[in-house]
Amino acid sequence: MKKQLLFTMLMTVFMIGIASCGKDDDGEKESSEYKALFYTTDKFVNKLGYNNSFTDSENTSDRRYLVTVLGRLIVVKKNSSTGSSYNEVKDALYGHYKSNSRVKDVFINKNGTITIDCRK
């Protein structure tokens, strides 16, 4: 009986621990808000892992951003003045790529676009 009670208590603590490790609301919002952007930029970052450099351009599936690759730089331009500010987009991209060894830096250009620097 004691073994059964101990097992039940351990399983309860384990299940509570797993439930508390879920994503927070901000992470889910950010993930869904920038999902199309991350998909497009991830595709180009991964492609740069296999190619030295190339030139390409593509709108995100939600048509909110134009993503252009120039050599080993990926430039992100908003297609509309509404929505997230460039600082918010830069912060989201920086957070997304902070542990990616292929990305050297994420910054805002003088003209307001965002650059993902994949130079070696």
Side-chain angles (χ1 to χ4, degrees):
M1 183 71 177
K2 287 183 180 182
K3 286 183 180 179
Q4 218 174 15
L5 180 63
L6 180 63
F7 177 75
T8 303
M9 288 175 53
L10 286 173
M11 288 305 292
T12 303
V13 169
F14 178 72
M15 295 303 285
I16 291 171
I18 288 177
S20 67
C21 291
K23 285 186 176 180
D24 61 342
D25 291 338
D26 291 339
E28 288 177 16
K29 177 184 177 261
E30 181 177 294
S31 178
S32 64
E33 184 177 349
Y34 300 110
K35 185 176 181 177
L37 177 61
F38 291 160
Y39 176 81
T40 305
T41 57
D42 284 348
K43 183 170 57 171
F44 288 141
V45 167
N46 291 333
K47 194 172 178 181
L48 281 171
Y50 302 109
N51 296 319
N52 286 334
S53 65
F54 62 96
T55 302
D56 197 359
S57 185
E58 182 178 322
N59 278 302
T60 58
S61 60
D62 60 4
R63 316 286 284 157
R64 293 173 62 190
Y65 305 95
L66 174 65
V67 181
T68 305
V69 181
L70 303 167
R72 296 194 64 82
L73 299 174
I74 301 170
V75 179
V76 177
K77 178 181 183 256
K78 291 174 37 178
N79 285 333
S80 171
S81 61
T82 60
S84 301
S85 70
Y86 273 113
N87 280 324
E88 293 170 328
V89 176
K90 179 199 67 94
D91 291 344
L93 285 167
Y94 181 82
H96 184 70
Y97 289 115
K98 69 182 172 189
S99 62
N100 189 323
S101 62
R102 293 178 181 165
V103 175
K104 185 177 175 183
D105 195 11
V106 177
F107 56 89
I108 297 179
N109 296 312
K110 288 182 182 178
N111 64 351
T113 58
I114 300 166
T115 295
I116 302 169
D117 185 353
C118 296
R119 295 177 290 185
K120 295 179 181 182

